[in-house]
Amino acid sequence: MIAIGQYNDLRIITKTDLGLVLTDGEDEALLPYTEVPKNTEVGDNVSVFVYANKESRLIATTKRPLACVGDFAYLTVVDDSEDGAFMDLGLDKDIFVPAREQKRPMFKGDSHVVYVFLDTSNNRMIASSKLLNFVEEHEIDLEEGDEVSLLIADRSDLGYNAIIDNKYIGLLYTNELFDILNPGEVRKGWVKKIRVEGKIDLSLQPMGYGHILDNKDALLEELKESGGVIALGDKSAPDDIYDRFKLSKNAFKKVIGGLYKDRLITISDHEIRLFVDKEAE
């Protein structure tokens, strides 16, 4: 069976006035002549994306859509009405977001993170911005400290919601962020905590002691290149620390605390220095 809203490898079986007829041995789809690759003949196999048109006929295209069925994606509204909105999918056909599937009203020119799925009543692709209806909340195959891919979804009272690995949803807390985030951005992140109720706390920085060790080496190297002194310390502003080292103030204090315990640096409120053993001189 041809998978609607997905890529399919199909065989060309005949030509018509409108285009080539493709099949998987069970269903058929039409590939318009404007979409046919050069030097393609009957009997060849082609990789195409398939969708259903208004008449429920299966249409194939060699264009690459911005999202497939089962994907979360950041799309732009190209038209709106009382019934719903149409979003650009990167194809000749836009994708419809019914009014009932809109978390908040969508208007032309807006962009939103949506989930793409099939309307089982007509096998046509539609989208929804009610993301919580489509994320996995129970069987979470993640562990604290895992590196993940994040799609920034929207802002909440506590921070930013983000889609994790196209499957789960988690939260980046505002008070732990030092970058400006925008919906639609794809970022590398880490799982900070998985709560009992299944909620996931996220971080834009690696977790664990291994990360501290890596940054200890990097900071020592930076100190040496800076003549043994860096004008950042225990009471420096978090933004200043992040601008220099891309570390939160908490992570920075862990790093310099480790270096201090190893007698490699000295620390003051607004400065760190390479340790000099005067007795050894």
Side-chain angles (χ1 to χ4, degrees), residues 158-219:
L158 296 176
Y160 288 87
N161 294 309
I163 300 298
I164 307 166
D165 289 345
N166 198 51
K167 190 173 183 180
Y168 313 103
I169 195 165
L171 181 66
L172 291 158
Y173 289 90
T174 300
N175 62 355
E176 297 176 1
L177 294 174
F178 299 92
D179 274 358
I180 296 174
L181 298 180
N182 296 296
E185 280 189 72
V186 176
R187 291 289 193 103
K188 181 165 64 175
W190 284 264
V191 176
K192 180 179 179 182
K193 186 177 182 62
I194 300 176
R195 301 184 180 275
V196 175
E197 65 273 24
K199 296 186 182 297
I200 304 172
D201 295 345
L202 299 167
S203 173
L204 293 182
Q205 298 174 2
M207 314 301 295
Y209 189 62
H211 174 54
I212 301 302
L213 289 176
D214 290 342
N215 280 303
K216 283 172 67 176
D217 292 340
L219 196 146

Side-chain angles (χ1 to χ4, degrees), residues 6-267:
Q6 302 285 355
Y7 291 98
N8 294 257
D9 289 323
L10 305 177
R11 181 169 55 87
I12 303 168
I13 57 173
T14 189
K15 296 180 179 181
T16 70
D17 292 341
L18 298 177
L20 302 181
V21 178
L22 315 179
T23 186
D24 64 345
E26 183 176 349
D27 296 327
E28 295 182 355
L30 178 71
L31 179 64
Y33 283 119
T34 55
E35 297 284 329
V36 177
K38 292 182 179 179
N39 303 318
T40 301
E41 301 291 342
V42 173
D44 290 348
N45 284 355
V46 290
S47 178
V48 290
F49 180 83
V50 179
Y51 61 90
N53 65 10
K54 292 181 179 180
E55 292 75 34
S56 296
R57 181 171 187 177
L58 298 186
I59 303 299
T61 176
T62 52
K63 293 179 180 178
R64 298 186 64 84
L66 298 176
C68 297
V69 164
D71 286 345
F72 293 90
Y74 187 64
L75 304 178
T76 300
V77 179
V78 293
D79 198 9
D80 64 80
S81 69
E82 291 184 0
D83 296 329
F86 288 92
M87 306 188 87
D88 179 18
L89 194 60
L91 304 175
D92 294 335
K93 175 184 172 60
D94 299 319
I95 190 166
F96 186 57
V97 188
R100 67 178 184 276
E101 292 293 344
Q102 297 179 20
K103 183 178 179 180
R104 63 178 185 272
M106 294 182 174
F107 301 101
K108 184 176 180 179
D110 292 345
S111 296
H112 303 265
V113 172
V114 295
Y115 180 77
V116 177
F117 64 104
L118 278 185
D119 183 340
T120 54
S121 68
N122 55 21
N123 280 333
R124 289 168 61 185
M125 297 170 63
I126 59 175
S128 173
S129 59
K130 296 182 177 180
L131 307 182
L132 289 177
N133 292 341
F134 303 96
V135 294
E136 178 60 60
E137 295 183 291
H138 303 294
E139 297 182 8
I140 298 176
D141 187 20
L142 292 172
E143 294 183 2
E144 293 179 8
D146 281 355
E147 181 179 319
V148 291
S149 175
L150 303 178
L151 172 62
I152 307 304
D154 54 22
R155 185 158 192 170
S156 72
D157 292 338
L158 296 176
Y160 288 87
N161 294 309
I163 300 298
I164 307 166
D165 289 345
N166 198 51
K167 190 173 183 180
Y168 313 103
I169 195 165
L171 181 66
L172 291 158
Y173 289 90
T174 300
N175 62 355
E176 297 176 1
L177 294 174
F178 299 92
D179 274 358
I180 296 174
L181 298 180
N182 296 296
E185 280 189 72
V186 176
R187 291 289 193 103
K188 181 165 64 175
W190 284 264
V191 176
K192 180 179 179 182
K193 186 177 182 62
I194 300 176
R195 301 184 180 275
V196 175
E197 65 273 24
K199 296 186 182 297
I200 304 172
D201 295 345
L202 299 167
S203 173
L204 293 182
Q205 298 174 2
M207 314 301 295
Y209 189 62
H211 174 54
I212 301 302
L213 289 176
D214 290 342
N215 280 303
K216 283 172 67 176
D217 292 340
L219 196 146
L220 272 178
E221 188 62 31
E222 184 90 2
L223 265 170
K224 292 173 184 177
E225 293 178 0
S226 301
V229 182
I230 290 178
L232 292 170
D234 263 343
K235 294 187 178 180
S236 295
D239 287 348
D240 293 339
I241 293 169
Y242 189 84
D243 288 344
R244 181 72 181 266
F245 295 112
K246 295 296 183 274
L247 291 172
S248 67
K249 184 169 183 177
N250 185 49
F252 175 73
K253 291 180 73 171
K254 287 181 180 179
V255 173
I256 63 175
L259 291 172
Y260 178 78
K261 287 180 181 179
D262 293 340
R263 292 174 55 83
L264 294 173
I265 65 169
T266 59
I267 303 171

